[in-house]
Amino acid sequence: MTEKSGSDGGDLPASLEAAWGLRDRPAKGPKPGLSLERIVAAAVGVAAADGLGAVSMGRVAQELGASTMSLYRYVSAKDELYVLMQEAALGPPDPLTALETGAGWRAAVTEWASAQRDRYRANLWALRIPIGGPPATPNSIAWWEQGLQALGGTGLAEGDKTSVILLISNFVRSEALMVSDLAAAVAARGITPDELMASYERTLKRLVDPERHPGITRQLETGVMSEPDEADYEFTFGMERLLDGVEALVRRTAEGSRAPGGDAKSA
């Protein structure tokens, strides 16, 4: 089994220490030709082909032509493997153009969120990995750091910056997961997204009672459900509304810091 390190006050499994470059190889003798990188790559391949549910230590070992027990010299549990798979699939963030050009914090945060969304869309299985704790891998820390840099010109308190990062990240994951689920539903039924929505609208018209559901009735009467959205409309709409709220917080913080005796964090 992999060991945990606590000599410096930390509590990282050996596999995560290896991801940080703090450990070159397992403490016990490895099977020749096997490595943490190969194990993670094989697991990512299984998830990309058959979904996260297909990933098991036995399946990964089979892909590598190794014994299941030999994998435990590198990674102690499947949950730990999940973390390393996400780390490998999402990768480090690219530099933010908005920061380099001075386009402002809204543009920087939007670019940051859009980049996360693109990575998730390219690795939809990663959205199925449960969040088991705060970021602790090199790439997850790098994304967090970049988000904080995007908010660097806001004047927000450090705690509020972290809250904004969590708010935006949760929105990105939720939106990407919804798109993934809808795409899976469309594929399972063998129809197009427009056909799915048309079928849904017909169903609502049969079920909705104008007296009990006046709001939905108005939606159906106006035909808004039949209007095709532009690509990425919901993501753009959601991001703009979230950033409107953050901008209001930025203004309140600035006003509080200018007021005599003002407390920027509580303003």
Side-chain angles (χ1 to χ4, degrees), residues 237-260:
F237 179 87
M239 279 298 302
E240 288 179 349
R241 301 295 76 77
L242 286 174
L243 294 181
D244 286 346
V246 176
E247 188 164 358
L249 177 62
V250 170
R251 287 197 301 269
R252 287 173 55 195
T253 300
E255 292 167 359
S257 64
R258 289 195 297 267

Side-chain angles (χ1 to χ4, degrees), residues 13-258:
S15 60
L16 295 189
E17 285 194 339
W20 279 100
L22 301 176
R23 181 185 291 262
D24 294 330
R25 62 194 309 169
K28 299 179 181 179
K31 172 180 166 49
L34 201 59
S35 68
L36 183 61
E37 291 75 15
R38 287 191 63 210
I39 292 169
V40 173
V44 168
V46 171
D50 299 323
L52 186 66
V55 176
S56 68
M57 301 296 269
R59 172 71 184 276
V60 174
Q62 181 181 2
E63 295 289 326
L64 293 168
S67 69
T68 301
M69 288 307 298
S70 66
L71 269 60
Y72 286 101
R73 297 171 178 165
Y74 295 83
V75 58
S76 63
K78 188 167 69 173
D79 288 347
E80 190 178 313
L81 180 59
Y82 280 171
V83 173
L84 294 169
M85 290 168 61
Q86 188 171 52
E87 171 79 354
L90 299 185
D94 294 325
L96 291 179
T97 302
L99 285 181
E100 296 175 350
T101 61
W105 69 266
R106 279 189 71 127
V109 172
T110 299
E111 184 181 349
W112 176 78
S114 297
Q116 282 192 70
R117 179 176 180 249
D118 290 343
R119 301 289 178 92
Y120 277 124
R121 282 195 163 188
N123 302 276
L124 292 175
W125 55 265
L127 292 165
R128 306 297 175 180
I129 296 177
I131 298 176
T137 57
N139 290 337
S140 63
I141 292 289
W143 281 98
W144 181 16
E145 173 63 30
Q146 191 179 68
L148 293 173
Q149 291 178 10
L151 292 167
T154 60
L156 291 176
E158 294 303 318
D160 288 341
K161 289 178 186 176
T162 296
S163 294
V164 170
I165 293 297
L166 288 172
L167 175 68
I168 300 298
S169 295
N170 287 336
F171 169 72
V172 170
R173 285 182 60 92
S174 176
E175 195 272 346
L177 187 59
M178 179 187 69
V179 170
S180 172
D181 287 345
L182 288 175
V186 168
R189 294 181 60 177
I191 59 178
T192 67
D194 288 343
E195 289 172 337
L196 177 65
M197 288 307 300
S199 173
Y200 178 60
E201 186 174 6
R202 290 193 298 271
T203 299
L204 282 180
K205 287 179 178 179
R206 291 181 56 196
L207 301 176
V208 166
D209 182 341
E211 293 186 2
R212 295 175 58 197
H213 314 104
I216 298 175
T217 299
R218 286 192 295 272
Q219 294 267 307
L220 292 169
E221 289 174 348
T222 60
V224 66
M225 290 187 175
S226 303
E227 298 175 2
D229 288 336
E230 297 179 4
D232 299 330
Y233 172 82
E234 295 299 341
F235 178 78
T236 301
F237 179 87
M239 279 298 302
E240 288 179 349
R241 301 295 76 77
L242 286 174
L243 294 181
D244 286 346
V246 176
E247 188 164 358
L249 177 62
V250 170
R251 287 197 301 269
R252 287 173 55 195
T253 300
E255 292 167 359
S257 64
R258 289 195 297 267

